Amino acid sequence: MTTEDNAVTARVDGVEVATGHFIGGKRRDSTEVFEVHSPIDGKHLANVSRGTAADIDDAVAAAKAAFPAWAALGPEGRYPYLIRFAELILEHRDELATVETADVGMGLQMTRTHMVDRSSRNIRFFADLALKINDRVIDSPEVTNYVRFDPSGVSALITPWNGPLMLTTWKIGPCLAAGNTAVVKPPEWAPLTCSLLADLIAEAGIPDGVVNFVQGFGAEAGQALVEHKDIRRISFTGSPQTAKTIARAAADRLVPTSFELGGKSPNIVFADADLDLAVNHAVVAFRSGGQGCTNGTRLLVEESIAEEFERRLTETAAKMAVGDPRDPATQLGPLIHPVHRDRVQGFVDRAVEDGAEIAWGGGTFDQGELFYKPTLVKNIRRGMEIEQREVFGPVVTWQTFRTEDEAIDLANSTEYGLSSEVFTQSEERAMRMAARIRSGMVWVNCYMVRELAAPFGGLGLSGIGREGGEWSFDFYCDIKNIAVRKESLPRD
């Protein structure tokens, strides 16, 4: 993985990373920069170029100029470029994983295997699917309908900081496979792996301007991007508050948007559940600093097993290893940033003020100010902030129920609706619950199984639209129906 000779770079745990934007296939360094520090130890990683509206203008212009030729290649013509990009991600596994861990604080074991592998599969899957997407034919007595998924233009892709490598490729994959070009705005708290992806895009031979990266802050680069007159799609993963701002900008030009905005997901455990399985899945909400949008952060436990389940949960959480995420034994890593740590602590402090009880946790470990303890909050009253709003930290609330109706009432008590978990050995109960829970996804006796062909997305404050499979092409494409009267056209 190399960078241009004149590009400003930083060394991140031995990996050279360009710190400038990537526009029209060229690096561009800004006079203004912002600092990036590792959440692991506070170490300064890089001074990164701070994008402006002018940088966004140039990036969108480059993407717009590259669009006609990229779209004209068709799925078959784009396929070799995308497959090579997917291969390069795997070939550069160590560099990508090293930088992602330093930048985000995610466990190196997870970034090396799950995140890198999934990033490569994101690209390959959508390249493969694009070859089949235009084969749909709908027959009727008078006409034959041919459904086309045509490229829509320049897409704005705004990615989050809790998994930038995987989540950026989750957007780039369908966007490019559909024939669109893109301007990516990486997260300001963790922009460095996106810079490495730009190098791999160039190495794969993807034409200049097809994908552009402009680093910077949401109120500057991000706002200029979503307000740009030449943007035809906006895909954003982040907070509901930011999504509302983006939606207002998109509304002026009726630009289609796709939002994945996090959740307050219920994890429902029935008395007949495999308790060891349920406990092992429950503690996942504490890993990676609890910074996962689908985490089951509201534990709803059937009253008859509540005491036993809490005992097992407490024992298992206490054994989780905290430390440097570069150590394979580490299970609990840091929060991303001091500002976010203060946000998490604020939720816990206000919960106590509201009358909640901290069963365990509620502060930081000795390992560092960003290493927050797994926290269980009990004595929850309906409507408390800690029950209603996403904390995005290793904080789980505890409530009990007696009947399925009570469990459903609790599960559906928030404005979020991204995902949910149900643990039971009754298939009938599992399907009854899944049908009644208000969420975009329900996992039964499992968690975070994300089949690329399946829809991913939520309801309410959790977002708009679905990602995955054909649902991604529904968003990134202009869908056209061609109705041909039967026998009206001579066959060639």
Side-chain angles (χ1 to χ4, degrees):
M1 188 179 298
T2 60
T3 57
E4 294 179 46
D5 292 339
N6 61 346
V8 176
T9 63
R11 298 289 292 182
V12 179
D13 285 356
V15 180
E16 186 177 19
V17 183
T19 57
H21 315 298
F22 183 75
I23 300 173
K26 302 289 191 299
R27 289 289 177 176
R28 173 189 294 186
D29 299 308
S30 297
T31 303
E32 295 292 326
V33 298
F34 60 94
E35 295 184 356
V36 176
H37 295 263
S38 176
I40 300 172
D41 51 14
K43 176 184 176 182
H44 177 264
L45 297 179
N47 290 332
V48 176
S49 289
R50 181 169 174 170
T52 65
D55 296 313
I56 291 294
D57 280 342
D58 289 345
V60 174
K64 185 177 180 181
F67 171 69
W70 182 250
L73 286 175
E76 295 81 5
R78 294 187 289 268
Y79 187 82
Y81 294 105
L82 296 176
I83 295 304
R84 183 58 186 145
F85 180 32
E87 292 170 347
L88 286 169
I89 290 173
L90 295 181
E91 291 176 16
H92 292 277
R93 177 190 302 277
D94 289 341
E95 299 101 307
L96 290 166
T98 295
V99 173
E100 182 93 337
T101 292
D103 207 12
V104 180
M106 184 180 294
L108 183 59
Q109 188 86 353
M110 176 173 283
T111 56
R112 284 198 81 259
T113 55
H114 176 72
M115 290 299 179
V116 173
D117 288 349
R118 172 59 190 272
S119 296
S120 178
R121 284 194 292 120
N122 284 343
I123 305 301
R124 183 179 292 274
F125 172 83
F126 287 107
D128 287 337
L129 185 58
L131 297 176
K132 311 169 189 174
I133 200 71
N134 281 325
D135 290 342
R136 186 178 304 172
V137 176
I138 303 171
D139 201 22
S140 64
E142 295 182 359
V143 301
T144 301
N145 298 276
Y146 301 92
V147 181
R148 287 186 54 85
F149 289 74
D150 292 335
S152 59
V154 182
S155 298
L157 310 180
I158 304 175
T159 60
W161 48 257
N162 62 315
L165 175 63
M166 190 275 284
L167 293 172
T168 299
T169 57
W170 179 236
K171 296 181 187 296
I172 287 177
C175 178
L176 267 61
N180 293 355
T181 55
V183 177
V184 181
K185 209 292 280 182
E188 54 262 37
W189 282 352
L192 300 179
T193 40
C194 284
S195 182
L196 295 184
L197 285 176
D199 294 336
L200 299 185
I201 285 167
E203 189 174 344
I206 293 174
D208 293 349
V210 169
V211 188
N212 308 270
F213 292 80
V214 178
Q215 300 153 147
F217 292 91
E220 299 168 356
Q223 182 174 348
L225 180 58
V226 299
E227 291 179 350
H228 201 284
K229 63 181 178 59
D230 290 326
I231 292 296
R232 294 294 176 262
R233 295 291 188 274
I234 301 173
S235 176
F236 169 76
T237 301
S239 73
Q241 293 76 18
T242 302
K244 291 176 183 178
T245 300
I246 294 173
R248 293 186 189 99
D252 284 343
R253 293 173 290 111
L254 294 179
V255 176
T257 58
S258 176
F259 293 147
E260 196 275 279
L261 310 176
K264 194 69 176 173
S265 301
N267 183 354
I268 307 168
V269 183
F270 284 93
D272 68 340
D274 179 334
L275 295 191
D276 288 336
L277 178 69
V279 166
N280 288 335
H281 281 79
V283 297
V284 172
F286 301 128
R287 293 177 181 170
S288 297
Q291 297 164 136
C293 58
T294 59
N295 285 353
T297 55
R298 290 189 295 138
L299 263 175
L300 311 180
V301 182
E302 191 166 355
E303 193 173 278
S304 63
I305 60 162
E307 184 176 344
E308 173 65 12
F309 189 84
E310 184 180 0
R311 181 186 68 78
R312 295 193 192 193
L313 178 69
T314 301
E315 291 176 353
T316 303
K319 295 176 183 176
M320 298 179 77
V322 59
D324 192 319
R326 291 165 291 204
D327 182 342
T330 294
Q331 295 172 291
L332 301 172
L335 297 175
I336 185 71
H337 194 278
V339 170
H340 187 57
R341 184 271 325 279
D342 292 345
R343 182 178 183 274
V344 171
Q345 187 64 57
F347 273 108
V348 174
D349 291 343
R350 291 190 297 274
V352 173
E353 293 171 3
D354 289 343
E357 169 196 349
I358 307 302
W360 30 267
T364 56
F365 285 106
D366 294 337
Q367 279 79 357
E369 63 175 8
L370 298 185
F371 289 79
Y372 204 88
K373 296 177 181 179
T375 301
L376 184 68
V377 184
K378 300 178 67 177
N379 194 26
I380 302 296
R381 296 191 317 275
R382 294 287 295 274
M384 275 185 172
E385 178 193 53
I386 197 72
E387 181 207 36
Q388 293 293 311
R389 291 185 60 195
E390 184 179 44
V391 178
F392 218 62
V395 179
V396 170
T397 60
W398 173 278
Q399 293 166 287
T400 61
F401 63 88
R402 293 182 181 179
T403 67
E404 288 183 18
D405 286 343
E406 288 182 14
I408 289 294
D409 186 46
L410 289 169
N412 293 340
S413 65
T414 79
E415 293 184 74
Y416 290 92
L418 181 57
S419 64
S420 55
E421 300 167 63
V422 177
F423 287 88
T424 178
Q425 296 188 58
S426 167
E427 182 178 359
E428 291 183 356
R429 170 183 286 145
M431 299 313 292
R432 283 197 305 270
M433 294 295 294
R436 297 177 65 192
I437 294 171
R438 187 177 178 272
S439 68
M441 297 167 291
V442 181
W443 284 297
V444 178
N445 297 329
C446 62
Y447 169 67
M448 203 50 185
V449 179
R450 288 180 61 177
E451 170 56 50
L452 288 172
F456 179 92
L459 314 172
L461 288 183
S462 288
I464 297 173
R466 294 293 181 270
E467 298 173 297
E470 291 188 11
W471 290 271
S472 288
F473 288 110
D474 284 347
F475 172 70
Y476 284 108
C477 294
D478 291 327
I479 301 174
K480 178 187 299 177
N481 186 59
I482 304 171
V484 179
R485 185 168 62 84
K486 291 183 175 181
E487 299 179 358
S488 66
L489 298 177
R491 295 188 180 275
D492 294 334

